[in-house]
Amino acid sequence: MATAWMRLLKVTLTSVVNHKQITIGGSGYNDNLSIKITGSKYLFAAKDEFDITIYNIPNTTDSDEIVSADQIKYGGYRYVKIEAGYADMSMTIFDGYVVYVSNIKIENAKTSQMTIVCSGSYTYNNLKKQYFTLKKGTSMYAALNFAARQSGLQEVQLDSSLKHRYLQKDTSYDGTIISMITELCNSDQRLLSHCDYTSGSKMKIWDGTLTSSRVMHLTSENLILSNGYPSLTKDGIDFEVLPFFNFIPGDEVILDDASLINVSVNSLSAYESNPEPDHYADAEGKYIAKELAYNLTNRDSSFSCTLKCYAKSLYDNIKGTTSS
């Protein structure tokens, strides 16, 4: 069983032209490099972002089996996949696109500290700018389906209630599908949206007060915490876990044991700024994951994911209004 807790962190870069791959970390070649990965996945269709820092990477090399900074920077590597977890249960936490590669030469210009800036897949690749006009009476369901197909999205899951929301006038769009999603979610704040390449290249828009993307029941037996118990916030709860399960934004997390939740009020000013902290806990222990923040390394002690969650009951009450 000990092998299950051997940490694994691996980055795979793929080039545009010939789909050549470079693997850093994991087991095998280039696993001696130090890697630090920070990033967040959000409950929104175009905000996922990750930064990968590689330390002491040689600037050049004569070996095809050893990666160099020059190979990464000038090799046309556009696609990136990040895997994390443990030897017997690793998972893909991010599958996206390289936006920019920078490197700082050190040690007499023999090695570099390299940073690879990455973004969620559809932000920098599939979201083509488009212009079209939709007639009055078109349903938002049909409009979003049309825009998504034009943008290159392969699979779209839309809330059926959008079939009964109609444009009140002829409407022109000049931009990407993200501008449409933003406008839609601003007009009806019950709606949640997410587009995550790691969860099957799907764009999802759904009514968070009625349905959840997935439901996870967490208990003291299956919740592998890092850095203490969940803490209550003005939105719901935050808690830090080891990367043992591939959470995605929009997951409904059920944590019905209130004794697992910390309420921190350590001063009079803290109480006065939030005089009813227990109000933000969900009576049924139901929370919606709005952000996943990763802090991962393959050398030092940092290796966790922080879940930031809405209380589902507060979401139902506060976000339950809509405009027609």
Side-chain angles (χ1 to χ4, degrees):
M1 293 299 295
T3 55
W5 297 103
M6 292 177 60
R7 186 187 304 181
L8 183 143
L9 186 61
K10 182 167 73 172
V11 176
T12 302
L13 299 170
T14 304
S15 67
V16 174
V17 177
N18 56 8
H19 299 287
K20 179 180 178 181
Q21 290 190 330
I22 288 178
T23 299
I24 303 165
S27 58
Y29 299 118
N30 306 311
D31 61 353
N32 61 322
L33 296 172
S34 295
I35 308 169
K36 179 180 179 180
I37 296 174
T38 57
S40 293
K41 297 162 75 171
Y42 298 91
L43 190 55
F44 192 74
K47 289 185 64 177
D48 295 358
E49 55 185 335
F50 277 76
D51 297 331
I52 303 166
T53 303
I54 307 168
Y55 299 92
N56 298 319
I57 183 171
N59 291 321
T60 59
T61 179
D62 295 327
S63 172
D64 293 334
E65 298 175 349
I66 300 175
V67 67
S68 71
D70 285 354
Q71 283 177 321
I72 294 176
K73 190 171 179 64
Y74 303 112
Y77 292 94
R78 180 71 187 277
Y79 309 104
V80 57
K81 180 169 73 172
I82 301 172
E83 297 170 75
Y86 299 90
D88 293 342
M89 51 181 179
S90 63
M91 58 206 170
T92 299
I93 63 168
F94 182 76
D95 201 337
Y97 290 78
V98 174
V99 177
Y100 190 76
V101 178
S102 68
N103 62 301
I104 301 173
K105 291 182 171 60
I106 55 178
E107 293 187 6
N108 297 319
K110 293 181 179 179
T111 63
S112 287
Q113 174 181 311
M114 173 164 280
T115 298
I116 304 172
V117 179
C118 313
S119 179
S121 53
Y122 295 122
T123 307
Y124 278 91
N125 193 64
N126 291 44
L127 291 182
K128 298 180 291 187
K129 189 172 181 181
Q130 51 189 312
Y131 176 84
F132 56 89
T133 299
L134 297 172
K135 295 295 185 180
K136 175 183 176 180
T138 303
S139 72
M140 286 304 303
Y141 188 94
L144 283 166
N145 255 315
F146 173 79
R149 303 304 180 192
Q150 292 293 108
S151 297
L153 301 185
Q154 298 303 309
E155 187 168 348
V156 184
Q157 294 181 359
L158 301 178
D159 194 288
S160 59
S161 67
L162 295 175
K163 294 179 180 179
H164 309 291
R165 286 180 55 90
Y166 304 98
L167 298 178
Q168 301 303 307
K169 59 181 180 179
D170 290 356
T171 304
S172 296
Y173 289 96
D174 184 5
T176 70
I177 191 174
I178 293 304
S179 62
M180 292 183 66
I181 295 173
T182 301
E183 181 176 329
L184 176 64
C185 292
N186 285 341
S187 68
D188 186 346
Q189 294 187 324
R190 296 174 303 178
L191 295 175
L192 303 177
S193 66
H194 182 62
C195 185
D196 186 359
Y197 193 63
T198 60
S199 62
S201 308
K202 300 173 183 176
M203 184 185 77
K204 301 178 183 179
I205 301 178
W206 71 100
D207 188 333
T209 65
L210 300 177
T211 60
S212 301
S213 183
R214 300 188 303 178
V215 178
M216 313 292 163
H217 200 128
L218 302 181
T219 67
S220 56
E221 284 74 28
N222 66 9
L223 182 61
I224 306 177
L225 293 166
S226 175
N227 197 30
Y229 287 103
S231 298
L232 203 61
T233 71
K234 287 188 176 182
D235 286 326
I237 57 172
D238 292 354
F239 60 99
E240 193 173 330
V241 297
L242 299 179
F244 68 97
F245 182 79
N246 207 357
F247 292 98
I248 62 175
D251 283 344
E252 180 177 317
V253 176
I254 301 177
L255 192 67
D256 51 14
D257 185 352
S259 67
L260 295 176
I261 300 176
N262 287 329
V263 182
S264 178
V265 180
N266 52 20
S267 68
L268 180 61
S269 60
Y271 175 78
E272 290 174 342
S273 65
N274 185 16
E276 297 184 34
D278 295 305
H279 171 69
Y280 298 99
D282 190 283
E284 297 181 346
K286 296 180 179 180
Y287 301 89
I288 297 174
K290 63 173 182 175
E291 180 184 345
L292 311 177
Y294 290 88
N295 185 12
L296 307 167
T297 64
N298 67 341
R299 290 290 184 267
D300 64 28
S301 59
S302 300
F303 201 69
S304 65
C305 172
T306 299
L307 277 76
K308 301 181 181 182
C309 306
Y310 293 117
K312 193 169 190 293
S313 58
L314 290 178
Y315 181 83
D316 293 351
N317 294 334
I318 297 171
K319 308 269 187 179
T321 58
T322 180
S323 59
S324 58

